Amino acid sequence: MNRAPLSLLAVAVALTAVTGVAFLRPGEGEAAPVADRAPVPVERTVLTCPRPTGAESGSTVYTAFTPPTDGAAERDGEDAGEDGEDAGPSAALLPAPEYLPGDEEDGGEEDNGAAGGGEAEPVVPLTEPGAPVSARVDDADAPALSGTAEQELAPGWTVQQTTVVGSGPGSGVLGTACQAPDTEFWFAGASTAESRSDYLHITNPDRAATVVDIVLHGAEGPLDSEAGQGLTVPGGATLPVRLSTVSPEPQTNVAVQVTARTGRIGAQIEAVDQQLGADWLAPAAAPAGGPAVLPGIPAGTRSVRLAVYAPGGEDVTLDVGLAGSGGTITPAGYETITVPAGTLTAIDLENVTRGEPGSLVLTPAEGSGGGRVVAAARLTIGDEDEQEMAFVQATGPVGTRASAAGNTASGTALSLFAPGDAVEVEVTWSAGAEGGESVSETHTIDGRTTLTLAPEPPEGTEGTFAVTLTPRGGTLYAARTLAVEEDGTAGWTVQTLSDDRSTVAVPETAPDLSILMD
C-alpha cells in the first residue's frame, strides 16, 4: 500500500502538540534579558589540583568545603543511581595520573577514575554543605587530582592543598587552592634561571585528550619556545613541564601563557628556588583599563619583586599604590612603572611595606592606553639566612561570595581591601573538620584601606576550617595568609580570594507553538 509521506512541518506540529516547545521570548511582557535575571545556584562544579610535590619529606593536607547556599539543587528520591537507590549529592577528587611524552596513550578516551570512571579511592569527599572535610597524604608520589561536585555541594566548592616539605631544595610550605579549569591562563613572575626549578603542571579533567601550547615572554618579548607547542595531555591525566625545557635561554623573570586548543585544563606553576624554598604560583587575572590589585602582602615582608607583563599591542604605564590600614600611599621611588607592549618588566620593591600589611594597587596612569596587564609579586619573609618566598597575583574582586579552606586558628590572617567606598562584609568561620560550630561577624573596611583579620573560632573548634566572605555592597578584594609550623619546619603561603562563581543567570523559557507557523 502506498501512503503519502507526512511533511516535516506536519510531523513537527504533531510532536509539538504533545511535548511543547521551549524558547526565549524577548519583548514586551515577556522574559527579561539574562543580565536582569536573579542568579540561581550552579548544579555542577569541576576542580583540578596539581601534584603536591615530589619531595620524599613532603606531607600534604587537603581541606574541602562548600558553604551553605539558599536554593541549591537537591536530588529528589526519583533521581536514583543504577542500583535504584538515591545517589545523593557528591563532591570528591580522584587521582589524575602523571603523563610524560613517550608514555603509551591512545590519544582519545581515557577512563582512569579522574575523568569519572575507575575504582580510585576519592579524596576529601563531602557529604553536606557547611561541614569541611580534611585528609592528610604523606605519600611522596601523591598524584594530581580532579573531581566534580554536584547538586547542593556544587555552589562555592573549594579545596585547599597545603604541603610541608621538611628538607632539601624547596623545603617550606607550598599552598594553593584547587582551580576551576579553563581554556587559557596567564602567569607573571615565573623563572627559567639556574637558581630556579619551575614546573608548569597541566591537568586535563575531561575524558578526551587535549593539545596545549605554552609561550614564554621575557623583557624583550616572546622567547623561543617551540618546545612548548602542541603538547598532548590525555584525558584525566596531568602533564608536568619544566619551564627551562620550553625555552633554552635562562631568564630571571618570565610571563607564561598556557592555552588549550580544545577542551579545558587546569594549570599552576610549582616554583622552587635553591635559597628561598618553594610555593605555588597561581594564574593572574588580566584586567583591561581597571586597576590590577594584589592583596595580601603580610606584615614582615622583607622584599617584593613585582613582575608585570603587557600582552596587548600598546605600552602601559601604571601608577603604583600601597593600601595599608591608614589609606593608600605612593611608595617613594616606585611611583610609576612603564611596561612596553609584549614584554615583561620586573622591579624590586625593597621594604615597600615598612613592616605593615597591605595591598599593591596598579592603576593605569592618566593618558596611558589602559591595556591589559598580567601582574604577580614574589614575596620574601624571614631572617637573612632563613628567608622563604611566596607569591600573590593580581586577582578579581570577591563579588557575591568567596571562600578559603584549610585555615588554622593560630596561623591564619585575612587581608581585605576596599578600593573605592567603604565596604561592609560578613565573615563566616566554619566549624572545624573535627568538630565545632560556625560563627559569623561583620566588619567594615574603610575606602582605600586594607583591613587585616585573624580568626576567633568558638571554643570546641577542632581541625582546619573554612572562611566565607559575603560583601554587603561595594567592591572588595581579599587574600588569606597561612603560616604553618610542623615538625620543626615553618613556612607560609598566600592565596587570593575571588568570586566563587556559585551562581549563574538563567533565562526563562516558555512553551509557544506559533514559531512553527512562521
Side-chain angles (χ1 to χ4, degrees), residues 190-249:
S191 179
T192 59
E194 293 182 359
S195 61
R196 287 270 289 269
S197 299
D198 286 14
Y199 280 84
L200 172 65
H201 293 260
I202 306 169
T203 303
N204 179 1
D206 299 319
R207 290 181 180 273
T210 186
V211 176
V212 176
D213 296 324
I214 305 170
V215 180
L216 305 186
H217 304 264
E220 302 298 326
L223 303 179
D224 178 14
S225 52
E226 291 186 4
Q229 301 298 295
L231 302 179
T232 298
V233 186
T238 190
L239 172 67
V241 180
R242 185 166 180 170
L243 293 183
S244 60
T245 66
V246 175
S247 176
E249 183 181 356

Side-chain angles (χ1 to χ4, degrees), residues 368-418:
S368 176
R372 295 174 65 202
V373 295
V374 181
R378 188 201 70 186
L379 317 176
T380 58
I381 195 170
D383 298 331
E384 287 289 345
D385 297 333
E386 297 182 357
Q387 292 191 44
E388 189 191 6
M389 69 178 183
F391 294 91
V392 60
Q393 69 283 348
T395 186
V398 170
T400 302
R401 188 182 66 179
S403 297
N407 302 289
T408 60
S410 60
T412 298
L414 277 180
S415 181
L416 309 176
F417 168 58

